[in-house]
Amino acid sequence: MKLDFGLPTPLEYFETLVRRDEPRLLLEAAISLGQDVDPQLDVQGALYQFERMLKLLRDCVPWGSDGAQRLTILNQFFYVDLGYGGNHNDFFHPDNSYLHRVMDTRRGIPISLGVLWLELAHGIGLHAQGVSFPGHFLVKVQLPQGLVVQDPLTGRGLSAVALSERLEPYQEAWGLEGEELPPMGMFLQPASHRDILERMLRNLKAIHRQQSDDAMALAVINRLITLTPSNWSEYRDRGLVRMEHGERRDAIQDLQTYARHAESAQDLDMIEEQLAQLRAGL
């Protein structure tokens, strides 16, 4: 019997990290996304870089400090001492979403900064969670004194009024113009690790498609399908990218998968037309 001791591909490695119903290794899985843009990325080296950062933080936390004190120390350490913040000069650059590059530049977007901040918070014993808030990923910490919701770009706490103001632009899109929004608690539900990874990948997909970088968009879509295999729209999008690049058989397979499972989709007629053209070209 021939044994294969070859290294896993980046996608196979990612699959091992997200195979569970709830992936436990959020940081490792998030860092591994960078293997698409940097094939030689040393994921374990990036994890070690984070561990050194966490050790520095732990050295700043006095023995016996309570949750509120630890939160203050964390924000001082992350945003002031290390200088992490938003890349306001080039907010939509892909590097802002790849954690190994965020750790090098200390610039990111809410969700990439939020993942690093959350992992540091957990490392000093804070009960912190991510929040898939509309438009802008947030983080929250449960303290004995109450719930603290923060903007991961700045570390600033957000009041109930500030949170409501952030929801106002979405009221019309939701058909709630002039009506009261649902209770704020609905928007502050904790995001699972799978939710966070999916949101990171969707950000990257949108950025790469906007930049017409189909090769990178395809790599991201492959990860999305690995992470959420029953999200049929991803098969459609992968099929359309493959069709643009002349990969007819693979495109047909993806578009057929979408058509078979998305029976009531509004774009189904268009997809059937695309399939007919692809089949005619074989």
Side-chain angles (χ1 to χ4, degrees), residues 259-280:
R260 185 166 60 249
H261 291 92
E263 297 177 353
S264 59
Q266 294 183 350
D267 62 355
L268 200 55
D269 288 343
M270 182 271 288
I271 295 299
E272 292 291 357
E273 290 178 10
Q274 299 285 4
L275 278 168
Q277 294 176 16
L278 286 166
R279 291 177 184 129

Side-chain angles (χ1 to χ4, degrees), residues 14 17-18 20-30 111 115 118-119 122 128-130 132 137 190-201 227:
F14 180 71
L17 296 174
V18 302
R20 296 173 176 268
D21 289 340
E22 171 56 2
R24 293 183 299 171
L25 304 175
L26 172 62
L27 182 63
E28 186 173 354
I111 196 163
V115 168
L118 285 168
E119 293 293 316
H122 297 156
Q129 295 171 306
S132 288
F137 186 81
S192 69
H193 289 178
R194 191 172 295 276
D195 292 336
I196 292 172
L197 290 169
E198 183 177 357
R199 186 160 176 161
M200 293 181 79
L201 286 166
L227 182 68

Side-chain angles (χ1 to χ4, degrees), residues 4-19:
D4 183 5
F5 294 103
L7 293 174
T9 66
L11 188 60
E12 290 170 341
Y13 175 44
F14 180 71
E15 183 179 12
T16 66
L17 296 174
V18 302
R19 188 174 294 156

Side-chain angles (χ1 to χ4, degrees), residues 132-203:
S132 288
F133 203 76
H136 194 120
F137 186 81
L138 303 177
V139 293
K140 65 178 183 179
V141 183
Q142 186 64 56
L143 300 175
Q145 299 93 326
L147 182 68
V148 177
V149 181
Q150 287 190 182
D151 184 339
L153 276 180
T154 62
R156 293 173 183 164
L158 297 170
S159 66
V161 172
L163 290 168
S164 295
E165 289 175 350
R166 290 184 177 221
L167 289 174
E168 287 177 1
Y170 301 95
Q171 283 184 268
E172 183 177 356
W174 295 335
L176 297 174
E177 191 175 12
E179 300 180 20
E180 289 188 8
L181 285 166
M184 183 59 66
M186 288 186 59
F187 299 101
L188 297 178
Q189 294 299 306
S192 69
H193 289 178
R194 191 172 295 276
D195 292 336
I196 292 172
L197 290 169
E198 183 177 357
R199 186 160 176 161
M200 293 181 79
L201 286 166
R202 290 197 182 284
N203 286 343

Side-chain angles (χ1 to χ4, degrees), residues 71-106:
L71 177 58
T72 299
I73 292 168
L74 169 56
N75 285 335
Q76 169 72 27
F77 175 81
F78 191 68
Y79 296 105
V80 180
D81 298 345
L82 296 186
Y84 277 89
N87 186 353
H88 301 294
N89 293 327
D90 197 358
F91 196 79
F92 296 103
H93 196 286
D95 283 1
N96 299 329
S97 295
Y98 291 114
L99 288 194
H100 70 292
R101 293 188 173 177
V102 174
M103 285 193 287
D104 287 341
T105 64
R106 301 187 184 181

